Amino acid sequence: MSSGDQVALIARRMTQVIALIVTILLPLGYWVITFSNLSVELQFKAKVKATSFSSLINSNPGLWIYAENQMQGRLTREPVALETELVQVYDVEGVLITQAGQIPAPPKLSRRYPLYDGVGVVGQIEVSDSLRGLIYSTVVVSAFGLLLGASILVFMWAFPLRALQQTLQALVDSEFRFHTLVDLLPYGVQENDLTGCVTFVNPAIEHMYCQRKESITGRFIWDFLAEDLERESLRDYLQFLIREQPPLTPYFSKVRHLDGSVIDVQIDWAYDRNKHGQVKGFITIISDITERKQMQEALQEQATHDPLTGLFNRRALNETLLHELYRSQRSGEPLTVAMLDLDHFKQFNDTYGHEAGDLVLQAVSELLRCSLRASDIACRYGGEEFTVVMPGSSLDNARNRLDEVRQAIGHLRLRYQNDELPPITVSIGIAELIDQETDSATLLGRADAALYQAKEQGRNQIVVATILRNYKIDPGISLS
């Protein structure tokens, strides 16, 4: 076989391989990326909608499934509006309760997220969208890939004497298309070698890091991290990946810009291997998730904080107090809990209106925030009642500091609609954790009993719950 025939044969084989790759991988890659993005978006919307239902469920336990108008409002508008999706709410038995949005044309993709009422799962939210548009676009991409592959194949077979030149040109064109696609991606694409040195970045990385490509390549991947401690751990993690080659898992971190600002990023990565299957580096997709994380934190804030006062709510109190109780038992440090109740608050509301009452609650909450230590936890227990958890504070110390709070509340002078409101007084009950106590409800119950005693003794005072240190607690008895 002449060298010309050999070149032609090699060129044809290369042409067949290129045509096959273009025809299969182009639509397959498009499908995988687009389907994955749609799945993540539906899962995120399901989680957001489920989180927004928490306040409705907790405020109407057992009855929320009948609040049709409120559920429709949350499904269609809060906290993110529907586009082409269908949102359905199911109870714990899987029975459809309500739905909103457009019914997607088959086939469809659905993602679910459970609903909780603070005790357990009470239902599920399902968000669905049609795959028809994705299928149509994939067909178009497939046709384009098939046409492109066939064109390359026919052209190279029709001109065997120029096969090698045409093949090389096709490879150059293919590389150009690849780099164009990578440059147009909204996600950052980055490559690094086994030492952690950056060897390639796309324009999205330049925009994300606020630096030019020349300032990024040649530096180590940990140079861009915001926290010094994580830089050392990332070096160790890179060596672990090279040595053990575990399954691919996303990596979450913080990146610092040149101006000092910090963003949250999600890093999805893959091994870059040579023709022998040996790892020669890593390819990473870096996404800026700052807005998503801020939204998650905002939702967490709504779930754990009282919207009127900004203090922790009762749900957060239950979790925090149990944690502090266990910590106190392990460390031996004291733990004191106080129950506060504004005196004659109902009469105040009836006389001056609920808006004035809200003003009072906000002022007292702000005073608590300013008066307590950073380690103390102030919560709105409900209505005009507040709870303060004071880790590491003895009974005497807590009583003295809370008496200062009581006096400061009495000195508050508030105005509403140009009228000065009357002075506010508060009754306080205090209880200190004892050795035998293992139940946060018992500790709260003793503080509440002391509060009740302060009310009975004339209000505007502090009463300390007392109990014999060697008294053995019966779990069925509420101590005071």
Side-chain angles (χ1 to χ4, degrees):
M1 181 181 296
S2 64
S3 59
D5 292 337
Q6 290 178 347
V7 169
L9 179 61
I10 293 173
R12 288 172 179 171
R13 292 289 183 266
M14 293 175 61
T15 304
Q16 292 171 357
V17 172
I18 294 173
L20 184 62
I21 291 175
V22 171
T23 304
I24 295 177
L25 291 188
L26 186 62
L28 179 61
Y30 175 83
W31 170 270
V32 170
I33 294 174
T34 310
F35 182 87
S36 176
N37 289 341
L38 178 60
S39 176
V40 170
E41 181 181 0
L42 293 180
Q43 184 66 37
F44 176 70
K45 286 193 174 183
K47 182 176 181 179
V48 169
K49 294 292 183 183
T51 304
S52 70
F53 261 64
S54 62
S55 59
L56 175 61
I57 295 175
N58 290 327
S59 62
N60 300 281
L63 299 177
W64 62 273
I65 61 175
Y66 304 106
E68 180 67 20
N69 291 335
Q70 296 184 47
M71 287 194 291
Q72 283 293 322
R74 293 172 186 267
L75 289 179
T76 56
R77 296 184 298 274
E78 300 177 6
V80 292
L82 296 179
E83 297 177 0
T84 60
E85 302 90 358
L86 171 67
V87 183
Q88 297 173 304
V89 181
Y90 295 89
D91 64 14
V92 72
E93 301 296 334
V95 178
L96 178 65
I97 299 175
T98 186
Q99 65 182 29
Q102 306 176 22
I103 299 178
K108 66 178 184 178
L109 176 64
S110 302
R111 289 294 179 266
R112 289 191 173 192
Y113 198 87
L115 295 173
Y116 299 94
D117 64 352
V119 177
V121 177
V122 296
Q124 288 186 326
I125 279 188
E126 179 178 282
V127 181
S128 307
D129 203 354
S130 176
L131 290 174
R132 183 169 294 181
L134 176 57
I135 294 175
Y136 288 162
S137 59
T138 304
V139 170
V140 173
V141 174
S142 300
F144 174 75
L146 182 62
L147 179 62
L148 183 60
S151 299
I152 295 175
L153 185 62
V154 171
F155 183 79
M156 294 301 295
W157 276 48
F159 301 92
L161 296 179
R162 294 184 294 170
L164 183 58
Q165 179 183 357
Q166 295 295 335
T167 301
L168 293 176
Q169 185 61 47
L171 290 175
V172 171
D173 292 342
S174 177
E175 183 178 2
F176 174 77
R177 286 191 296 272
F178 168 76
H179 282 288
T180 301
L181 176 62
V182 171
D183 290 346
L184 293 177
L185 284 175
Y187 309 105
V189 179
Q190 177 178 290
E191 293 182 0
N192 64 271
D193 58 22
L194 296 180
T195 67
C197 182
V198 178
T199 58
F200 170 82
V201 294
N202 72 337
I205 288 287
E206 297 181 78
H207 177 73
M208 187 179 301
Y209 290 174
C210 296
Q211 299 184 46
R212 299 286 297 173
K213 176 180 179 180
E214 294 76 14
S215 302
I216 301 175
T217 54
R219 297 175 61 185
F220 294 104
I221 55 177
W222 41 79
D223 291 340
F224 306 97
L225 299 183
E227 299 177 359
D228 294 336
L229 184 61
E230 188 183 2
R231 295 178 183 179
E232 186 63 33
S233 65
L234 183 56
R235 292 189 186 95
D236 297 336
Y237 185 58
L238 179 65
Q239 297 304 314
F240 167 76
L241 295 180
I242 297 172
R243 183 177 63 255
E244 303 294 338
Q245 299 184 24
L248 310 181
T249 55
Y251 185 86
F252 297 90
S253 184
K254 293 180 181 292
V255 171
R256 187 181 301 278
H257 289 164
L258 286 177
D259 60 4
S261 60
V262 177
I263 62 171
D264 294 283
V265 295
Q266 175 179 331
I267 304 173
D268 298 282
W269 55 275
Y271 298 105
D272 186 13
R273 301 180 184 273
N274 58 23
K275 63 180 181 180
H276 302 295
Q278 299 172 331
V279 176
K280 64 176 183 177
F282 297 89
I283 302 174
T284 57
I285 303 294
I286 305 178
S287 308
D288 185 347
I289 60 170
T290 305
E291 292 185 3
R292 186 202 312 174
K293 192 165 185 179
Q294 290 173 347
M295 180 177 292
Q296 292 172 345
E297 292 173 350
L299 293 174
Q300 179 66 21
E301 177 82 8
Q302 295 174 12
T304 58
H305 285 72
D306 174 58
L308 176 64
T309 63
L311 299 179
F312 285 110
N313 57 21
R314 192 165 180 174
R315 173 185 176 184
L317 167 66
N318 294 335
E319 297 175 356
T320 303
L321 181 55
L322 188 61
H323 170 76
E324 292 297 338
L325 186 146
Y326 290 153
R327 191 172 71 86
S328 175
Q329 290 174 336
R330 290 194 304 269
S331 65
E333 293 182 353
L335 173 64
T336 303
V337 173
M339 295 289 292
L340 296 79
D341 186 271
L342 302 183
D343 297 326
H344 303 295
F345 189 74
K346 183 179 185 302
Q347 180 180 348
F348 188 95
N349 264 348
D350 294 340
T351 304
Y352 298 97
H354 288 282
E355 290 186 358
D358 290 346
L359 178 65
V360 171
L361 292 174
Q362 290 170 338
V364 171
S365 300
E366 182 61 26
L367 189 147
L368 286 175
R369 267 192 293 266
C370 296
S371 303
L372 298 174
R373 303 173 305 173
S375 58
D376 296 333
I377 303 129
C379 310
R380 186 184 179 191
Y381 194 73
E384 69 275 18
E385 282 191 293
F386 299 87
T387 304
V388 178
V389 181
M390 309 175 77
S393 183
S394 66
L395 194 60
D396 290 338
N397 178 266
R399 178 172 52 194
N400 293 335
R401 289 196 289 118
L402 288 170
D403 193 56
E404 294 176 359
V405 170
R406 180 189 64 81
Q407 295 179 43
I409 292 175
H411 291 135
L412 281 176
R413 294 297 179 263
L414 304 175
R415 299 188 66 86
Y416 175 71
Q417 294 183 350
N418 298 324
D419 294 328
E420 183 172 330
L421 300 176
I424 310 162
T425 62
V426 61
S427 301
I428 305 175
I430 307 178
E432 182 182 22
L433 180 69
I434 60 177
D435 296 338
Q436 299 93 336
E437 254 173 343
T438 59
D439 182 12
S440 59
T442 302
L443 179 60
L444 273 178
R446 292 198 296 116
D448 192 54
L451 170 63
Y452 180 78
Q453 187 177 351
K455 291 283 190 182
E456 289 292 310
Q457 293 177 182
R459 296 181 170 83
N460 192 23
Q461 59 184 279
I462 297 177
V463 171
V464 176
T466 58
I467 185 169
L468 294 176
R469 288 288 180 175
N470 296 326
Y471 190 86
K472 184 176 181 181
I473 297 177
D474 186 337
I477 297 178
S478 176
L479 301 175
S480 62

